[in-house]
Amino acid sequence: MRVSGKKMLLFIVILVGLLFAGGGAFVWWMMQQPMFKLGTVAQRTDLTPVGIFDDFWEVSPGVKLKHFSTGEGRNILFVHGGPGIPTMESAPGFDLLSDEYRVNYYDQRGVGRSTRPFDRFPAEDSSWTKIQLLENTLGISQQLADIERIRKLLGDDKLILMGHSYGALLASLYAAEFPENVDKLILLNPADLLVFPSGNKGLFENVRERLPERDHKAYDKWQRRYLDLGQIFKEDEASLQQLDADFLPFFIKATGDTIEGAPPVSPDLFGSWYTRAQFFGLGRRHDWSAHMGNITADTLIIHGSKDFQPLAVSELYEQAIPNAQLVEIEEAAHFPHFNNAEALEQQLRPFLNK
């Protein structure tokens, strides 16, 4: 049967439309799933670092991580949170340990003064290609791989690993991926992302409820743009950094002094592409609590009683990690290592020395 040109053209248009719709549905489905796959990092064959060059760790060819340390003694590796906000100076709560421990800080890849591989993505690439490149380069798997490479650069058979907020989630995932390589694990106000959705109010919902009603319109406008993942690849990093910085006034107004005392970070040091890579790695639905059962290290979880996250978040980590103990510090908020130095040191030193 002969098919007319018009019918053939119509067929091609419909076929292309179906493929586009199918591709869109596939991307939508992938956004529900975490791109980070449990148990895959330890199987990688690219975990040998390049070397140490002054105040940079070159963890893989062309990727250098800015680092500094304070104190003398056994190494502690600190994993900062944000996600995507570096630690600019040593924390008073850790400085009190400097007679026995050397605390190592670093900017994660894509953050701060470390290698930042992206500014803007090519317009001709598909969204899915861009998502894959971003997540493969800066996502959770690469962050965990970098911790393993840093362990080798430090020369430690077993790490003392300490993470704050989102960094505590990364530290937990590393300890579950490499249980034989962690001696002690410390989680400071761990992020409510071990199970997602968690059943607790989300960060954005929590902030909106605490804001005065007069700020709701501006906040809703900001949130619509922030969560418009379909538009992010039209941005460059500077515009995303400004978008991220625009959240801070809302957050501070809503949560009061919960981040008071933390050293300021210039927005041009935010890892804004890094942050989006974490979103794709996390997906919109996951439950990694069973994976925490792999952790063999003694674990200390610190929760600030005035943190914007409820105690139930830290309790979930405690229940999921076999050898974990939870301590709540009264009057502490989200940054006990900056604002509650003595109270934190009284918990850390006995745990580290036992």
Side-chain angles (χ1 to χ4, degrees):
M1 180 179 68
R2 190 173 179 180
V3 180
S4 71
K6 287 185 177 179
K7 287 184 178 179
M8 178 60 75
L9 179 60
L10 179 61
F11 174 76
I12 291 172
V13 169
I14 293 172
L15 178 61
V16 170
L18 288 172
L19 288 173
F20 180 82
F26 176 69
V27 171
W28 178 88
W29 180 83
M30 285 302 298
M31 292 306 94
Q32 313 303 305
Q33 313 303 313
M35 294 182 74
F36 169 65
K37 302 301 181 186
L38 297 168
T40 59
V41 183
Q43 300 171 7
R44 293 174 59 155
T45 59
D46 62 343
L47 298 177
T48 300
V50 177
I52 301 174
F53 301 91
D54 297 323
D55 51 354
F56 287 90
W57 290 321
E58 188 165 359
V59 289
S60 57
V63 178
K64 296 181 179 180
L65 308 184
K66 172 74 174 179
H67 72 93
F68 68 95
S69 63
T70 57
E72 299 292 337
R74 189 171 175 192
N75 285 313
I76 297 174
L77 180 63
F78 178 71
V79 185
H80 69 70
I85 301 179
T87 301
M88 303 304 297
E89 59 189 55
S90 65
F94 305 156
D95 290 343
L96 294 176
L97 302 170
S98 62
D99 58 326
E100 291 187 271
Y101 294 94
R102 182 173 183 246
V103 180
N104 298 273
Y105 304 82
Y106 73 102
D107 296 355
Q108 294 156 28
R109 69 163 64 197
V111 179
R113 299 147 294 182
S114 293
T115 298
R116 306 161 76 93
F118 304 115
D119 179 45
R120 183 188 292 274
F121 285 77
E124 61 271 16
D125 289 347
S126 70
S127 292
W128 181 237
T129 297
K130 295 170 187 173
I131 289 169
Q132 286 181 301
L133 178 60
L134 176 61
E135 201 277 335
N136 287 339
T137 306
L138 295 180
I140 295 171
S141 293
Q142 282 290 20
Q143 304 302 330
L144 303 189
D146 283 346
I147 294 174
E148 174 61 6
R149 295 167 182 137
I150 293 169
R151 180 189 68 83
K152 294 177 180 180
L153 290 173
L154 291 174
D156 291 341
D157 291 332
K158 288 178 174 284
L159 282 172
I160 300 176
L161 189 59
M162 178 160 52
H164 170 247
S165 193
Y166 185 78
L169 174 69
L170 292 179
S172 301
L173 290 171
Y174 173 86
E177 290 276 317
F178 298 91
E180 69 283 0
N181 294 345
V182 181
D183 180 32
K184 293 182 185 294
L185 178 65
I186 301 167
L187 309 178
L188 303 178
N189 291 54
D192 191 12
L193 291 169
L194 189 58
V195 177
F196 190 81
S198 68
N200 300 311
K201 291 178 182 176
L203 174 63
F204 294 148
E205 180 186 3
N206 202 343
V207 168
R208 192 182 192 279
E209 283 192 0
R210 298 184 184 200
L211 283 172
E213 189 172 349
R214 64 179 179 274
D215 293 321
H216 284 182
K217 184 176 180 180
Y219 180 72
D220 292 344
K221 181 179 179 180
W222 172 86
Q223 189 175 358
R224 282 194 299 273
R225 186 182 170 206
Y226 186 81
L227 296 178
D228 188 359
L229 297 182
Q231 297 297 312
I232 64 166
F233 291 112
K234 296 180 180 179
E235 309 274 6
D236 60 13
E237 182 147 49
S239 63
L240 290 175
Q241 288 170 333
Q242 186 58 56
L243 180 61
D244 293 348
D246 289 343
F247 175 62
L248 290 179
F250 294 120
F251 182 85
I252 293 169
K253 185 177 285 189
T255 63
D257 63 354
T258 59
I259 62 172
E260 184 115 358
V265 179
S266 174
D268 64 0
L269 294 177
F270 288 4
S272 293
W273 282 122
Y274 163 99
T275 303
R276 275 68 183 177
Q278 306 314 297
F279 288 166
F280 292 125
L282 293 164
R284 295 181 64 182
R285 188 169 299 276
H286 65 257
D287 184 348
W288 293 333
S289 56
H291 193 54
M292 298 295 104
N294 295 341
I295 297 175
T296 57
D298 288 340
T299 302
L300 175 64
I301 303 167
I302 300 291
H303 181 83
S305 65
K306 291 187 175 180
D307 191 18
F308 57 88
Q309 297 184 141
L311 179 61
V313 175
S314 294
E315 290 175 336
L316 179 59
Y317 282 83
E318 180 191 26
Q319 293 159 9
I321 298 173
N323 301 308
Q325 58 174 308
L326 171 60
V327 174
E328 188 171 9
I329 297 181
E330 294 297 328
E331 302 306 314
H334 198 60
F335 287 87
H337 45 311
F338 283 102
N339 296 331
N340 308 85
E342 293 80 8
L344 180 62
E345 187 266 344
Q346 290 171 11
Q347 300 299 329
L348 293 181
R349 191 182 295 270
F351 173 77
L352 290 167
N353 290 348
K354 70 176 180 181

